[in-house]
Amino acid sequence: MFTFVSIQDYHLQLVHGRQTCVQAVTHYIREIQLQNHLNAFIETFKDEALARASELDAEIKEGKPLRKLHGVVIGIKDNICYKDHFISAGSNILRHFKSLYSATVIERILAEGAIIIGRQNCDEFAMGNRNENPVYGPVKNQLDNTRISGGSSGGSAVAVQASLCMASLGSDTGGSVRQPADHCGVIGFKPSYGMISRHGLIAYASSFDQIGIIANNIDDIEKIFHILSGEDGFDSTVLPNVRTDSAIETKPVKSTSKIAWLPETLHHTSLDPEIKTGLKNTLESLQKEGHLVEAVPFPLIDFIVPAYYILTTAEASSNLSRYDGVRYGYRKAMQTSDLFDFYAKNRSEGFGWEVKKRIMLGTFVLSAGYFDQYFKKAQQVRKLIIQLSEKIFQQYDFILLPTVPQVPDRIGTSGESSTSGYLSDIYTVFANLAGIPAISLPIYKHTSGMVFGIQAMSSQKNDIPLLRFSETLLKKH
Ligand code: GLN
């Protein structure tokens, strides 16, 4: 019987010959089949994962030292390119498309001995927070199969929740790693913008997108983060000279921290009372332990979701213009009168409802006549948010807030034309607008039988202290 606790423990088992990589992969392949109803994986890479596991076992037998992620079984969201493997971003428009190259994160984990077990279900083009995918169907929450997993990296979170792999790589543009982690009772970490190369991540909104990690413990997240982070010639937005390795070794852990909480988030009408009480309890106990815990006004609360949706849809309308049926994937509409008709038919048939809505919204806010009213205004709001965040972090080490205002909804209960679901993003988009690191920590149980998390944020590039603080928060509970 294979059990996984942490990468460190697994590696001890490997070196002492108590487990093998082949046993690990065989176990996960069986679990994925047994829990197929959760719909977490779109495809598993069974044969090649097993072949790679034998090679990695052979290295151990030959006495070679373990690589940092030796035999670690990782699932990847269906928007991260893996050479010669299908990738669809959960969309019909890319359904039969194979990656021509691997994302930098894939190259890096493979070089350290990881095994990629398969690609995971997600919201189409990572747009959404429910993971009710129009092509592949909904991902089910393992705690209650009638409820959503959260999104957009829902398959990635459920895969960790249901022990279908050791860790997952997802992406977070406005909460897509943290929200499903909250709903599934696992840890979801979105690093600072620019800590991890986006090369090979299918773009949704490039100035927001970050690859994030979902796992069961902070130590594993830290190990994987260290491998993924760092400069990359393929992505000029990666921050130079941020050494996560030296930070890990030298940064002293502070025994007391300065923690801010934002009254406008805690008193927001959308917040479930039990989630509110949970956060309050955490704040109180931190205060009792000697941390400085103070309320800091956050007057921009009502502007963050609108600013986020204006800016991200604008970027999406531009990023998704490349899917025209000529160069990529879907080209079904052959009965067309001219080129415009050809594009229109392919895009109408290839994209799902939500994606089309966002392309239209984004095109509108960028159009002459509306640009100043919408796009420019939203950019100004983003600037104010960045300034506010910098001001807060001049005085405080961390901000604590909820991750999602409600416990996971029932599957099939959202109106597809509605925008009311966008409000679920109220606590997560702030970190992406400001480019700061944020993490959702599974801490509380809800009387509905579900779980929920607490979200911690820190200043830009302060990812390692945030992870260290998260560790202490988790240990308290
Ligand atoms: N729910 C948000 C959106 O739909 C965030 C998605 C994400 O982080 N990829 O835009």
Side-chain angles (χ1 to χ4, degrees):
M1 176 64 187
F2 179 85
T3 48
F4 175 76
V5 182
S6 65
I7 296 174
Q8 191 184 17
D9 174 76
Y10 172 57
H11 278 180
L12 276 177
Q13 312 268 356
L14 289 181
V15 272
H16 290 116
R18 290 196 289 264
Q19 302 277 11
T20 63
C21 301
V22 168
Q23 278 172 343
V25 170
T26 310
H27 165 82
Y28 288 117
I29 295 284
R30 194 183 325 114
E31 284 303 310
I32 293 171
Q33 277 162 0
L34 285 173
Q35 308 205 56
N36 195 27
H37 62 281
L38 297 175
N39 205 14
F41 281 85
I42 292 173
E43 184 187 0
T44 46
F45 308 139
K46 183 178 163 204
D47 294 339
E48 58 170 281
L50 278 170
R52 185 163 163 84
S54 329
E55 283 166 26
L56 290 160
D57 283 336
E59 282 184 21
I60 300 173
K61 280 219 184 80
E62 285 163 24
K64 288 192 183 153
L66 287 192
R67 293 187 253 169
K68 289 188 180 124
L69 298 179
H70 203 101
V72 174
V73 179
I74 295 183
I76 57 172
K77 185 173 178 179
D78 186 34
N79 63 354
I80 301 176
C81 292
Y82 182 14
K83 192 171 191 289
D84 297 330
H85 292 75
F86 286 110
I87 180 165
S88 74
S91 180
N92 243 335
I93 211 153
L94 278 175
R95 200 155 189 189
H96 303 293
F97 181 75
K98 270 190 182 169
S99 293
L100 302 174
Y101 59 88
S102 285
T104 298
V105 290
I106 298 295
E107 301 274 11
R108 289 189 179 169
I109 60 170
L110 289 178
E112 285 299 343
I115 301 170
I116 299 176
I117 191 91
R119 60 186 171 113
Q120 297 159 328
N121 202 340
C122 57
D123 280 298
E124 187 178 358
F125 280 98
M127 296 176 186
N129 48 34
R130 301 178 66 93
N131 208 152
E132 297 177 291
N133 184 287
V135 183
Y136 302 104
V139 176
K140 294 176 184 167
N141 197 309
Q142 193 206 21
L143 271 175
D144 175 348
N145 292 180
T146 68
R147 293 188 193 257
I148 59 167
S149 58
S152 64
S153 315
S156 310
V158 169
V160 174
Q161 176 193 36
S163 303
L164 308 180
C165 57
M166 296 176 186
S168 299
L169 299 187
S171 67
D172 190 311
T173 304
S176 277
V177 159
R178 291 160 285 156
Q179 293 197 19
D182 168 283
H183 283 353
C184 296
V186 294
I187 306 173
F189 173 52
K190 179 205 91 77
S192 302
Y193 184 81
M195 290 299 279
I196 296 179
S197 167
R198 289 175 294 109
H199 174 66
L201 169 69
I202 291 187
Y204 159 17
S206 310
S207 76
F208 293 75
D209 299 339
Q210 256 307 271
I211 287 174
I213 306 155
I214 298 177
N216 269 319
N217 65 75
I218 296 288
D219 196 51
D220 288 357
I221 293 209
E222 226 178 87
K223 283 194 169 68
I224 297 169
F225 175 55
H226 170 49
I227 305 299
L228 303 184
S229 62
E231 283 178 71
D232 177 20
F234 290 114
D235 179 357
S236 60
T237 62
V238 177
L239 298 161
N241 303 323
V242 187
R243 297 274 309 273
T244 53
D245 56 342
S246 61
I248 285 172
E249 278 145 29
T250 58
K251 202 104 196 167
V253 185
K254 279 207 265 173
S255 56
T256 58
S257 306
K258 294 182 195 149
I259 298 157
W261 62 277
L262 316 174
E264 291 81 354
T265 60
L266 203 65
H267 302 311
H268 201 268
T269 48
S270 66
L271 185 61
D272 174 275
E274 282 184 49
I275 300 180
K276 183 174 174 172
T277 310
L279 180 58
K280 270 181 156 173
N281 289 344
T282 298
L283 292 169
E284 274 166 25
S285 82
L286 285 166
Q287 194 159 26
K288 278 195 198 123
E289 282 166 20
H291 298 274
L292 177 79
V293 180
E294 285 180 347
V296 176
F298 192 71
L300 296 170
I301 186 84
D302 290 332
F303 301 102
I304 57 177
V305 170
Y308 168 83
Y309 273 93
I310 288 171
L311 295 173
T312 53
T313 54
E315 291 190 27
S317 71
S318 159
N319 274 328
L320 271 60
S321 65
R322 71 191 76 178
Y323 306 107
D324 53 13
V326 178
R327 287 161 296 181
Y328 295 96
Y330 191 89
R331 184 198 285 196
K332 205 170 140 225
M334 300 309 275
Q335 304 295 320
T336 49
S337 46
D338 56 23
L339 190 60
F340 179 83
D341 194 30
F342 172 82
Y343 289 154
K345 283 211 172 102
N346 278 318
R347 285 166 69 79
S348 305
E349 290 173 21
F351 289 128
W353 216 98
E354 181 62 30
V355 174
K356 280 189 272 199
K357 182 167 73 181
R358 296 198 192 198
I359 292 173
M360 287 191 281
L361 187 60
T363 307
F364 172 77
V365 299
L366 286 175
S367 59
Y370 293 102
F371 183 89
D372 286 352
Q373 271 176 48
Y374 293 101
F375 187 74
K376 206 167 149 199
K377 269 268 171 302
Q379 272 190 315
Q380 288 164 343
V381 172
R382 186 176 199 182
K383 184 94 198 144
L384 291 175
I385 289 166
I386 294 170
Q387 284 166 352
L388 180 61
S389 139
E390 284 169 354
K391 207 170 135 213
I392 296 175
F393 289 120
Q394 273 164 16
Q395 285 184 54
Y396 299 91
D397 302 310
F398 307 107
I399 299 177
L400 283 188
L401 69 171
T403 308
V404 193
Q406 298 287 328
V407 291
D409 221 346
R410 302 272 171 202
I411 290 171
T413 52
S414 76
E416 71 171 8
S417 62
S418 143
T419 49
S420 61
Y422 294 173
L423 200 58
S424 298
D425 301 334
I426 188 154
Y427 300 131
T428 46
V429 293
F430 169 48
N432 305 75
L433 282 157
I436 58 177
I439 189 163
S440 180
L441 303 166
I443 288 188
Y444 282 106
K445 285 200 164 55
H446 193 270
T447 48
S448 60
M450 302 311 290
V451 287
F452 61 93
I454 276 180
Q455 196 184 185
M457 295 178 182
S458 192
S459 57
Q460 215 198 25
K461 301 193 217 171
N462 225 20
D463 300 56
I464 298 298
L466 177 66
L467 292 177
R468 293 287 156 86
F469 175 66
S470 301
E471 182 84 73
T472 60
L473 267 182
L474 284 172
K475 281 204 180 112
K476 277 163 50 62
H477 290 278

PDB file of all heavy atoms in Angstrom, residues 77 125-129 151-152 171-179 204 209 308-309 312 354 358 422 425 428-429 432, ligand 1:
ATOM      1  N   LYS A  77      -2.265  21.523 -14.949  1.00  0.00           N
ATOM      2  CA  LYS A  77      -3.495  22.101 -15.495  1.00  0.00           C
ATOM      3  C   LYS A  77      -3.412  22.100 -17.016  1.00  0.00           C
ATOM      4  O   LYS A  77      -2.324  22.272 -17.583  1.00  0.00           O
ATOM      5  CB  LYS A  77      -3.625  23.530 -14.947  1.00  0.00           C
ATOM      6  CG  LYS A  77      -4.898  24.268 -15.303  1.00  0.00           C
ATOM      7  CD  LYS A  77      -4.942  25.594 -14.540  1.00  0.00           C
ATOM      8  CE  LYS A  77      -6.160  26.424 -14.882  1.00  0.00           C
ATOM      9  NZ  LYS A  77      -6.208  27.690 -14.112  1.00  0.00           N
ATOM     10  N   PHE A 125     -10.083  28.311 -20.801  1.00  0.00           N
ATOM     11  CA  PHE A 125      -9.088  29.388 -20.816  1.00  0.00           C
ATOM     12  C   PHE A 125      -8.892  30.003 -19.428  1.00  0.00           C
ATOM     13  O   PHE A 125      -8.568  31.186 -19.299  1.00  0.00           O
ATOM     14  CB  PHE A 125      -9.424  30.467 -21.856  1.00  0.00           C
ATOM     15  CG  PHE A 125      -9.014  30.045 -23.241  1.00  0.00           C
ATOM     16  CD1 PHE A 125      -9.948  29.508 -24.119  1.00  0.00           C
ATOM     17  CD2 PHE A 125      -7.699  30.133 -23.651  1.00  0.00           C
ATOM     18  CE1 PHE A 125      -9.565  29.074 -25.386  1.00  0.00           C
ATOM     19  CE2 PHE A 125      -7.307  29.707 -24.917  1.00  0.00           C
ATOM     20  CZ  PHE A 125      -8.240  29.182 -25.785  1.00  0.00           C
ATOM     21  N   ALA A 126      -9.127  29.201 -18.400  1.00  0.00           N
ATOM     22  CA  ALA A 126      -8.932  29.621 -16.985  1.00  0.00           C
ATOM     23  C   ALA A 126      -9.879  30.748 -16.593  1.00  0.00           C
ATOM     24  O   ALA A 126      -9.605  31.501 -15.662  1.00  0.00           O
ATOM     25  CB  ALA A 126      -7.472  30.012 -16.723  1.00  0.00           C
ATOM     26  N   MET A 127     -10.980  30.877 -17.331  1.00  0.00           N
ATOM     27  CA  MET A 127     -11.934  31.941 -17.012  1.00  0.00           C
ATOM     28  C   MET A 127     -13.087  31.351 -16.215  1.00  0.00           C
ATOM     29  O   MET A 127     -13.928  30.637 -16.764  1.00  0.00           O
ATOM     30  CB  MET A 127     -12.466  32.565 -18.302  1.00  0.00           C
ATOM     31  CG  MET A 127     -11.381  33.248 -19.097  1.00  0.00           C
ATOM     32  SD  MET A 127     -12.016  33.868 -20.644  1.00  0.00           S
ATOM     33  CE  MET A 127     -10.499  34.427 -21.410  1.00  0.00           C
ATOM     34  N   GLY A 128     -13.098  31.642 -14.935  1.00  0.00           N
ATOM     35  CA  GLY A 128     -14.197  31.153 -14.114  1.00  0.00           C
ATOM     36  C   GLY A 128     -13.744  30.803 -12.719  1.00  0.00           C
ATOM     37  O   GLY A 128     -12.553  30.858 -12.404  1.00  0.00           O
ATOM     38  N   ASN A 129     -14.700  30.479 -11.865  1.00  0.00           N
ATOM     39  CA  ASN A 129     -14.353  30.052 -10.513  1.00  0.00           C
ATOM     40  C   ASN A 129     -15.170  28.835 -10.085  1.00  0.00           C
ATOM     41  O   ASN A 129     -15.300  28.551  -8.916  1.00  0.00           O
ATOM     42  CB  ASN A 129     -14.506  31.211  -9.511  1.00  0.00           C
ATOM     43  CG  ASN A 129     -15.835  31.923  -9.674  1.00  0.00           C
ATOM     44  OD1 ASN A 129     -16.849  31.299 -10.011  1.00  0.00           O
ATOM     45  ND2 ASN A 129     -15.862  33.215  -9.437  1.00  0.00           N
ATOM     46  N   GLY A 151     -12.783  27.090  -9.094  1.00  0.00           N
ATOM     47  CA  GLY A 151     -11.974  27.128 -10.307  1.00  0.00           C
ATOM     48  C   GLY A 151     -11.090  28.359 -10.324  1.00  0.00           C
ATOM     49  O   GLY A 151     -11.089  29.139  -9.386  1.00  0.00           O
ATOM     50  N   SER A 152     -10.337  28.499 -11.388  1.00  0.00           N
ATOM     51  CA  SER A 152     -10.429  27.646 -12.551  1.00  0.00           C
ATOM     52  C   SER A 152      -9.554  26.388 -12.467  1.00  0.00           C
ATOM     53  O   SER A 152      -9.758  25.460 -13.252  1.00  0.00           O
ATOM     54  CB  SER A 152     -10.037  28.436 -13.797  1.00  0.00           C
ATOM     55  OG  SER A 152      -8.684  28.853 -13.734  1.00  0.00           O
ATOM     56  N   SER A 171      -2.809  27.678 -12.512  1.00  0.00           N
ATOM     57  CA  SER A 171      -2.508  29.074 -12.821  1.00  0.00           C
ATOM     58  C   SER A 171      -3.518  29.945 -12.097  1.00  0.00           C
ATOM     59  O   SER A 171      -4.641  29.513 -11.822  1.00  0.00           O
ATOM     60  CB  SER A 171      -2.556  29.324 -14.329  1.00  0.00           C
ATOM     61  OG  SER A 171      -3.877  29.179 -14.796  1.00  0.00           O
ATOM     62  N   ASP A 172      -3.080  31.162 -11.768  1.00  0.00           N
ATOM     63  CA  ASP A 172      -3.902  32.054 -10.954  1.00  0.00           C
ATOM     64  C   ASP A 172      -3.838  33.451 -11.554  1.00  0.00           C
ATOM     65  O   ASP A 172      -2.797  34.107 -11.514  1.00  0.00           O
ATOM     66  CB  ASP A 172      -3.357  32.036  -9.518  1.00  0.00           C
ATOM     67  CG  ASP A 172      -4.265  32.721  -8.514  1.00  0.00           C
ATOM     68  OD1 ASP A 172      -4.690  33.858  -8.798  1.00  0.00           O
ATOM     69  OD2 ASP A 172      -4.541  32.137  -7.443  1.00  0.00           O
ATOM     70  N   THR A 173      -4.957  33.874 -12.148  1.00  0.00           N
ATOM     71  CA  THR A 173      -5.044  35.195 -12.757  1.00  0.00           C
ATOM     72  C   THR A 173      -5.807  36.139 -11.827  1.00  0.00           C
ATOM     73  O   THR A 173      -5.567  37.337 -11.783  1.00  0.00           O
ATOM     74  CB  THR A 173      -5.753  35.079 -14.124  1.00  0.00           C
ATOM     75  OG1 THR A 173      -5.038  34.130 -14.909  1.00  0.00           O
ATOM     76  CG2 THR A 173      -5.830  36.406 -14.853  1.00  0.00           C
ATOM     77  N   GLY A 174      -6.744  35.534 -11.080  1.00  0.00           N
ATOM     78  CA  GLY A 174      -7.536  36.329 -10.132  1.00  0.00           C
ATOM     79  C   GLY A 174      -8.012  35.474  -8.968  1.00  0.00           C
ATOM     80  O   GLY A 174      -8.976  35.834  -8.292  1.00  0.00           O
ATOM     81  N   GLY A 175      -7.365  34.327  -8.779  1.00  0.00           N
ATOM     82  CA  GLY A 175      -7.751  33.469  -7.648  1.00  0.00           C
ATOM     83  C   GLY A 175      -7.854  32.006  -7.995  1.00  0.00           C
ATOM     84  O   GLY A 175      -8.234  31.186  -7.159  1.00  0.00           O
ATOM     85  N   SER A 176      -7.500  31.642  -9.212  1.00  0.00           N
ATOM     86  CA  SER A 176      -7.765  30.284  -9.698  1.00  0.00           C
ATOM     87  C   SER A 176      -6.995  29.164  -9.041  1.00  0.00           C
ATOM     88  O   SER A 176      -7.341  28.002  -9.214  1.00  0.00           O
ATOM     89  CB  SER A 176      -7.532  30.214 -11.208  1.00  0.00           C
ATOM     90  OG  SER A 176      -8.684  30.663 -11.847  1.00  0.00           O
ATOM     91  N   VAL A 177      -5.952  29.495  -8.303  1.00  0.00           N
ATOM     92  CA  VAL A 177      -5.280  28.454  -7.522  1.00  0.00           C
ATOM     93  C   VAL A 177      -5.850  28.453  -6.105  1.00  0.00           C
ATOM     94  O   VAL A 177      -6.134  27.415  -5.516  1.00  0.00           O
ATOM     95  CB  VAL A 177      -3.750  28.707  -7.511  1.00  0.00           C
ATOM     96  CG1 VAL A 177      -3.072  28.013  -6.345  1.00  0.00           C
ATOM     97  CG2 VAL A 177      -3.137  28.219  -8.817  1.00  0.00           C
ATOM     98  N   ARG A 178      -6.079  29.655  -5.570  1.00  0.00           N
ATOM     99  CA  ARG A 178      -6.509  29.777  -4.174  1.00  0.00           C
ATOM    100  C   ARG A 178      -7.971  29.381  -3.961  1.00  0.00           C
ATOM    101  O   ARG A 178      -8.318  28.786  -2.943  1.00  0.00           O
ATOM    102  CB  ARG A 178      -6.282  31.221  -3.702  1.00  0.00           C
ATOM    103  CG  ARG A 178      -4.814  31.573  -3.564  1.00  0.00           C
ATOM    104  CD  ARG A 178      -4.604  33.073  -3.577  1.00  0.00           C
ATOM    105  NE  ARG A 178      -4.735  33.641  -4.907  1.00  0.00           N
ATOM    106  CZ  ARG A 178      -5.049  34.901  -5.170  1.00  0.00           C
ATOM    107  NH1 ARG A 178      -5.288  35.739  -4.185  1.00  0.00           N
ATOM    108  NH2 ARG A 178      -5.129  35.330  -6.425  1.00  0.00           N
ATOM    109  N   GLN A 179      -8.845  29.725  -4.900  1.00  0.00           N
ATOM    110  CA  GLN A 179     -10.270  29.428  -4.683  1.00  0.00           C
ATOM    111  C   GLN A 179     -10.571  27.931  -4.658  1.00  0.00           C
ATOM    112  O   GLN A 179     -11.244  27.458  -3.739  1.00  0.00           O
ATOM    113  CB  GLN A 179     -11.124  30.139  -5.727  1.00  0.00           C
ATOM    114  CG  GLN A 179     -11.079  31.643  -5.552  1.00  0.00           C
ATOM    115  CD  GLN A 179     -12.219  32.342  -6.286  1.00  0.00           C
ATOM    116  OE1 GLN A 179     -13.210  31.732  -6.625  1.00  0.00           O
ATOM    117  NE2 GLN A 179     -12.055  33.622  -6.532  1.00  0.00           N
ATOM    118  N   TYR A 204      -4.100  34.132 -20.522  1.00  0.00           N
ATOM    119  CA  TYR A 204      -5.455  34.661 -20.352  1.00  0.00           C
ATOM    120  C   TYR A 204      -5.310  36.184 -20.243  1.00  0.00           C
ATOM    121  O   TYR A 204      -5.669  36.917 -21.161  1.00  0.00           O
ATOM    122  CB  TYR A 204      -6.082  33.993 -19.119  1.00  0.00           C
ATOM    123  CG  TYR A 204      -7.248  34.682 -18.444  1.00  0.00           C
ATOM    124  CD1 TYR A 204      -7.987  35.689 -19.066  1.00  0.00           C
ATOM    125  CD2 TYR A 204      -7.643  34.306 -17.158  1.00  0.00           C
ATOM    126  CE1 TYR A 204      -9.057  36.295 -18.413  1.00  0.00           C
ATOM    127  CE2 TYR A 204      -8.707  34.906 -16.508  1.00  0.00           C
ATOM    128  CZ  TYR A 204      -9.397  35.919 -17.138  1.00  0.00           C
ATOM    129  OH  TYR A 204     -10.443  36.521 -16.486  1.00  0.00           O
ATOM    130  N   ASP A 209      -1.543  36.863 -14.938  1.00  0.00           N
ATOM    131  CA  ASP A 209      -1.330  35.408 -14.874  1.00  0.00           C
ATOM    132  C   ASP A 209      -0.080  35.031 -14.072  1.00  0.00           C
ATOM    133  O   ASP A 209       0.989  35.606 -14.292  1.00  0.00           O
ATOM    134  CB  ASP A 209      -1.116  34.817 -16.284  1.00  0.00           C
ATOM    135  CG  ASP A 209      -2.305  35.011 -17.223  1.00  0.00           C
ATOM    136  OD1 ASP A 209      -3.432  35.224 -16.738  1.00  0.00           O
ATOM    137  OD2 ASP A 209      -2.099  34.923 -18.460  1.00  0.00           O
ATOM    138  N   TYR A 308     -10.759  44.587 -12.089  1.00  0.00           N
ATOM    139  CA  TYR A 308     -10.176  43.316 -12.514  1.00  0.00           C
ATOM    140  C   TYR A 308     -10.828  42.829 -13.803  1.00  0.00           C
ATOM    141  O   TYR A 308     -10.146  42.429 -14.755  1.00  0.00           O
ATOM    142  CB  TYR A 308     -10.337  42.267 -11.393  1.00  0.00           C
ATOM    143  CG  TYR A 308     -10.013  40.864 -11.853  1.00  0.00           C
ATOM    144  CD1 TYR A 308      -8.701  40.425 -11.894  1.00  0.00           C
ATOM    145  CD2 TYR A 308     -11.023  39.999 -12.275  1.00  0.00           C
ATOM    146  CE1 TYR A 308      -8.402  39.142 -12.339  1.00  0.00           C
ATOM    147  CE2 TYR A 308     -10.738  38.723 -12.722  1.00  0.00           C
ATOM    148  CZ  TYR A 308      -9.426  38.296 -12.758  1.00  0.00           C
ATOM    149  OH  TYR A 308      -9.138  37.036 -13.223  1.00  0.00           O
ATOM    150  N   TYR A 309     -12.166  42.852 -13.854  1.00  0.00           N
ATOM    151  CA  TYR A 309     -12.850  42.298 -15.038  1.00  0.00           C
ATOM    152  C   TYR A 309     -12.682  43.172 -16.275  1.00  0.00           C
ATOM    153  O   TYR A 309     -12.664  42.666 -17.399  1.00  0.00           O
ATOM    154  CB  TYR A 309     -14.318  41.988 -14.718  1.00  0.00           C
ATOM    155  CG  TYR A 309     -14.421  40.589 -14.125  1.00  0.00           C
ATOM    156  CD1 TYR A 309     -14.388  40.385 -12.752  1.00  0.00           C
ATOM    157  CD2 TYR A 309     -14.435  39.463 -14.942  1.00  0.00           C
ATOM    158  CE1 TYR A 309     -14.404  39.102 -12.205  1.00  0.00           C
ATOM    159  CE2 TYR A 309     -14.447  38.178 -14.414  1.00  0.00           C
ATOM    160  CZ  TYR A 309     -14.443  38.004 -13.053  1.00  0.00           C
ATOM    161  OH  TYR A 309     -14.438  36.738 -12.534  1.00  0.00           O
ATOM    162  N   THR A 312      -8.804  42.409 -17.252  1.00  0.00           N
ATOM    163  CA  THR A 312      -8.499  41.040 -17.711  1.00  0.00           C
ATOM    164  C   THR A 312      -9.249  40.707 -19.002  1.00  0.00           C
ATOM    165  O   THR A 312      -8.713  40.017 -19.864  1.00  0.00           O
ATOM    166  CB  THR A 312      -8.835  39.974 -16.644  1.00  0.00           C
ATOM    167  OG1 THR A 312     -10.178  40.152 -16.214  1.00  0.00           O
ATOM    168  CG2 THR A 312      -7.892  40.052 -15.465  1.00  0.00           C
ATOM    169  N   GLU A 354     -18.855  31.605 -21.898  1.00  0.00           N
ATOM    170  CA  GLU A 354     -18.178  32.540 -20.989  1.00  0.00           C
ATOM    171  C   GLU A 354     -17.006  33.228 -21.694  1.00  0.00           C
ATOM    172  O   GLU A 354     -16.803  34.431 -21.554  1.00  0.00           O
ATOM    173  CB  GLU A 354     -17.704  31.783 -19.743  1.00  0.00           C
ATOM    174  CG  GLU A 354     -16.992  32.620 -18.693  1.00  0.00           C
ATOM    175  CD  GLU A 354     -17.867  33.714 -18.083  1.00  0.00           C
ATOM    176  OE1 GLU A 354     -19.100  33.538 -17.991  1.00  0.00           O
ATOM    177  OE2 GLU A 354     -17.306  34.760 -17.697  1.00  0.00           O
ATOM    178  N   ARG A 358     -16.497  37.257 -22.550  1.00  0.00           N
ATOM    179  CA  ARG A 358     -15.348  38.061 -22.113  1.00  0.00           C
ATOM    180  C   ARG A 358     -14.606  38.701 -23.298  1.00  0.00           C
ATOM    181  O   ARG A 358     -14.108  39.812 -23.189  1.00  0.00           O
ATOM    182  CB  ARG A 358     -14.400  37.204 -21.287  1.00  0.00           C
ATOM    183  CG  ARG A 358     -15.076  36.750 -20.008  1.00  0.00           C
ATOM    184  CD  ARG A 358     -14.083  36.285 -19.006  1.00  0.00           C
ATOM    185  NE  ARG A 358     -14.734  35.599 -17.911  1.00  0.00           N
ATOM    186  CZ  ARG A 358     -14.170  35.375 -16.741  1.00  0.00           C
ATOM    187  NH1 ARG A 358     -12.954  35.783 -16.517  1.00  0.00           N
ATOM    188  NH2 ARG A 358     -14.811  34.736 -15.784  1.00  0.00           N
ATOM    189  N   TYR A 422     -19.104  36.668 -10.415  1.00  0.00           N
ATOM    190  CA  TYR A 422     -17.810  37.371 -10.398  1.00  0.00           C
ATOM    191  C   TYR A 422     -17.498  37.899  -8.992  1.00  0.00           C
ATOM    192  O   TYR A 422     -16.347  38.146  -8.653  1.00  0.00           O
ATOM    193  CB  TYR A 422     -17.785  38.545 -11.391  1.00  0.00           C
ATOM    194  CG  TYR A 422     -17.874  38.151 -12.857  1.00  0.00           C
ATOM    195  CD1 TYR A 422     -18.004  39.109 -13.849  1.00  0.00           C
ATOM    196  CD2 TYR A 422     -17.799  36.821 -13.250  1.00  0.00           C
ATOM    197  CE1 TYR A 422     -18.077  38.770 -15.194  1.00  0.00           C
ATOM    198  CE2 TYR A 422     -17.877  36.464 -14.595  1.00  0.00           C
ATOM    199  CZ  TYR A 422     -18.018  37.447 -15.564  1.00  0.00           C
ATOM    200  OH  TYR A 422     -18.093  37.106 -16.891  1.00  0.00           O
ATOM    201  N   ASP A 425     -14.944  36.456  -6.533  1.00  0.00           N
ATOM    202  CA  ASP A 425     -13.513  36.763  -6.684  1.00  0.00           C
ATOM    203  C   ASP A 425     -13.084  37.954  -5.827  1.00  0.00           C
ATOM    204  O   ASP A 425     -11.940  38.392  -5.893  1.00  0.00           O
ATOM    205  CB  ASP A 425     -13.193  37.090  -8.158  1.00  0.00           C
ATOM    206  CG  ASP A 425     -13.540  35.944  -9.082  1.00  0.00           C
ATOM    207  OD1 ASP A 425     -13.551  34.786  -8.623  1.00  0.00           O
ATOM    208  OD2 ASP A 425     -13.821  36.205 -10.268  1.00  0.00           O
ATOM    209  N   THR A 428      -9.832  37.568  -3.799  1.00  0.00           N
ATOM    210  CA  THR A 428      -8.605  37.034  -4.411  1.00  0.00           C
ATOM    211  C   THR A 428      -7.980  37.960  -5.460  1.00  0.00           C
ATOM    212  O   THR A 428      -6.765  37.927  -5.649  1.00  0.00           O
ATOM    213  CB  THR A 428      -8.869  35.649  -5.056  1.00  0.00           C
ATOM    214  OG1 THR A 428     -10.065  35.698  -5.808  1.00  0.00           O
ATOM    215  CG2 THR A 428      -8.961  34.560  -3.993  1.00  0.00           C
ATOM    216  N   VAL A 429      -8.802  38.767  -6.152  1.00  0.00           N
ATOM    217  CA  VAL A 429      -8.233  39.534  -7.277  1.00  0.00           C
ATOM    218  C   VAL A 429      -7.255  40.627  -6.831  1.00  0.00           C
ATOM    219  O   VAL A 429      -6.381  41.043  -7.598  1.00  0.00           O
ATOM    220  CB  VAL A 429      -9.340  40.158  -8.177  1.00  0.00           C
ATOM    221  CG1 VAL A 429     -10.122  39.073  -8.887  1.00  0.00           C
ATOM    222  CG2 VAL A 429     -10.253  41.077  -7.402  1.00  0.00           C
ATOM    223  N   ASN A 432      -3.648  39.787  -7.412  1.00  0.00           N
ATOM    224  CA  ASN A 432      -3.212  39.797  -8.817  1.00  0.00           C
ATOM    225  C   ASN A 432      -3.131  41.230  -9.353  1.00  0.00           C
ATOM    226  O   ASN A 432      -2.260  41.548 -10.152  1.00  0.00           O
ATOM    227  CB  ASN A 432      -4.168  38.981  -9.685  1.00  0.00           C
ATOM    228  CG  ASN A 432      -4.322  37.569  -9.169  1.00  0.00           C
ATOM    229  OD1 ASN A 432      -5.002  37.355  -8.173  1.00  0.00           O
ATOM    230  ND2 ASN A 432      -3.687  36.601  -9.814  1.00  0.00           N
TER     231      ASN A 432
HETATM  232  N1  GLN B   1     -12.428  33.823 -11.400  1.00  0.00           N
HETATM  233  C1  GLN B   1     -11.494  34.715 -12.021  1.00  0.00           C
HETATM  234  C2  GLN B   1     -11.829  34.911 -13.470  1.00  0.00           C
HETATM  235  O1  GLN B   1     -12.681  34.223 -13.954  1.00  0.00           O
HETATM  236  C3  GLN B   1     -10.094  34.219 -11.860  1.00  0.00           C
HETATM  237  C4  GLN B   1      -9.684  33.183 -12.816  1.00  0.00           C
HETATM  238  C5  GLN B   1      -8.232  32.835 -12.756  1.00  0.00           C
HETATM  239  O2  GLN B   1      -7.556  33.137 -11.779  1.00  0.00           O
HETATM  240  N2  GLN B   1      -7.723  32.229 -13.827  1.00  0.00           N
HETATM  241  O3  GLN B   1     -11.255  35.699 -14.132  1.00  0.00           O
END
